[in-house]
Amino acid sequence: MVLLAFLGGLAAVLAALAVLVVRGVRLWRQARGTGGRIVAELETFAARAERIERLLADADRAAQELDAALARLRASQARLQVLRKALERSGQRVRWLRALVPR
């Protein structure tokens, strides 16, 4: 009877050990495959981060160019305003001459 109980216990231990080995192998295979996917995803993430960094640098450069163009536009508008005022003043000064010139 003791021998039968011992053999039953040994069989249970061996069965548990077999289940443990099978699950351990599955876990190792899954971890190996998951590690490869994680590395691939991290590489993709790094590539996207580099692209975003380049795009941000381009946007910064474009913003600086836009600021410079805006400053040039404001200077040109100021010169245009001066020229318009000068043209208006000169038109007022020769207005009396228009009365003498036939249309």
Side-chain angles (χ1 to χ4, degrees):
M1 180 88 161
V2 171
L3 183 61
L4 200 62
F6 175 73
L7 290 177
L10 183 63
V13 167
L14 290 176
L17 186 61
V19 168
L20 182 67
V21 168
V22 169
R23 288 190 179 176
V25 169
R26 284 183 189 167
L27 178 64
W28 179 73
R29 287 180 181 170
Q30 184 179 6
R32 188 178 58 186
T34 303
R37 284 186 294 233
I38 288 174
V39 168
E41 289 297 322
L42 285 175
E43 288 174 355
T44 302
F45 179 76
R48 287 179 182 171
E50 288 176 11
R51 181 174 182 267
I52 289 171
E53 188 176 330
R54 272 194 323 271
L55 290 174
L56 286 174
D58 290 346
D60 186 41
R61 188 176 61 249
Q64 290 174 354
E65 291 173 3
L66 182 61
D67 287 341
L70 188 57
R72 288 191 309 268
L73 176 64
R74 287 184 178 145
S76 295
Q77 285 177 333
R79 275 186 257 138
L80 177 63
Q81 188 65 26
V82 168
L83 291 173
R84 281 184 175 172
K85 290 287 184 179
L87 184 61
E88 186 179 319
R89 279 194 314 257
S90 66
Q92 289 173 353
R93 287 181 183 166
V94 294
R95 190 176 306 240
W96 63 271
L97 194 56
R98 286 185 181 172
L100 301 176
V101 177
R103 288 187 183 204

